[in-house]
């Protein structure tokens, strides 16, 4: 089975392809000739995942899936949430985003947070949503050089290291994206 993954983020493609069985091949946006950034104009993570999947299905006619992810910090009422990638500005710099979050939380004792991923699958004219959540906390400083985004400052619950200190395989088992992808795979196997 071939599915378009509606993202230009090569890190996400690698992470998800690693989790999928060999029977499912991911086709990139580049491969179908979609070189533009799909607008993410919804005010929810679910909404952005739906917008991206619908864009590919409507404009290109492919079965596809899209995801959107946000980091939700308890003491910040769920921020940065849907604005996680642009938290420090439109330049979408992971370093700037992490630095801003660490600065905002500098005097905060409640550092509880969760990553939330929603995957929207458009398959044969029907739409399905899958949600994965990874609970944890924001660390005081960056640690590790694996992963991407906020991984160096997110320590998942039950672990003493950040996502950025785990291998791709280890992270995939416990991550928000891993959990949502697991649901996607289970669905695809039964349909």
């Amino acid at each position: 089975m071939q599915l378009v993954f509606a993202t230009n983020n090569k890190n996400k493609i690698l992470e998800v392809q690693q989790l999928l069985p060999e029977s499912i091949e991911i086709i990139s946006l580049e491969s179908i000739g979609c070189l533009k950034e799909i607008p993410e104009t919804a005010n929810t993570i679910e909404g952005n995942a739906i917008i991206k999947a619908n864009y590919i299905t409507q404009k290109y006619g492919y079965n596809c899936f899209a995801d959107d992810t946000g980091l939700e910090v308890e003491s910040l009422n769920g921020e940065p949430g849907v604005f996680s990638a642009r938290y420090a500005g439109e330049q979408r710099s992971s370093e700037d985003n992490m630095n801003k979050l660490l600065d905002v939380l500098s005097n905060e004792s409640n550092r509880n947070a969760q990553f939330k991923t929603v995957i929207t699958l458009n398959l044969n004219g029907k739409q399905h949503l899958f949600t994965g959540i990874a609970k944890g906390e924001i660390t005081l400083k960056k640690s590790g050089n694996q992963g991407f985004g906020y991984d160096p400052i997110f320590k998942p619950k039950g672990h003493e290291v950040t996502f950025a200190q785990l291998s791709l395989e280890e992270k995939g088992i416990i991550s928000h994206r891993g959990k949502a992808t697991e649901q996607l795979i289970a669905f695809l196997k039964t349909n």
Side-chain angles (χ1 to χ4, degrees), residues 5-101:
F5 186 8
T7 184
N8 284 310
N9 185 324
K10 292 186 186 333
N11 289 311
K12 277 187 185 181
I13 292 171
L14 276 173
E15 203 170 276
V16 171
Q17 185 67 69
Q18 171 125 6
L19 299 168
L20 294 173
E22 287 181 20
S23 60
I24 301 171
E25 180 191 349
I26 289 181
I27 301 171
S28 69
L29 289 179
E30 192 177 0
S31 298
I32 65 166
C34 179
L35 303 175
K36 75 174 264 186
E37 195 68 34
I38 300 169
E40 296 180 25
T41 55
N43 58 3
T44 64
I45 292 166
E46 293 85 352
N48 280 337
I50 290 168
I51 285 172
K52 290 187 277 190
N54 287 349
Y55 181 88
I56 297 305
T57 300
Q58 290 163 4
K59 190 160 174 83
Y60 296 90
Y62 285 97
N63 284 326
C64 71
F65 67 98
D67 81 326
D68 197 40
T69 296
L71 176 63
E72 302 172 332
V73 180
E74 195 174 278
S75 63
L76 302 179
N77 298 314
E79 286 184 11
V82 73
F83 301 107
S84 294
R86 301 175 296 281
Y87 189 50
E90 285 302 319
Q91 76 279 14
R92 296 173 161 242
S93 162
S94 293
E95 282 300 312
D96 292 349
N97 290 337
M98 284 188 287
N99 290 339
K100 178 178 179 180
L101 185 58

Side-chain angles (χ1 to χ4, degrees), residues 71-75 101 110-115 134-138 154-155:
L71 176 63
E72 302 172 332
V73 180
E74 195 174 278
S75 63
L101 185 58
N110 176 1
R111 301 178 79 85
N112 293 333
Q114 68 178 23
F115 269 117
K135 294 188 177 294
E137 64 183 53
I138 303 301
F154 183 81
K155 183 172 75 169

Side-chain angles (χ1 to χ4, degrees), residues 149-168:
Y150 293 91
D151 287 356
I153 61 169
F154 183 81
K155 183 172 75 169
K157 194 172 185 173
H159 291 76
E160 293 305 313
V161 295
T162 67
F163 269 168
Q165 292 171 290
L166 297 172
S167 70
L168 208 54

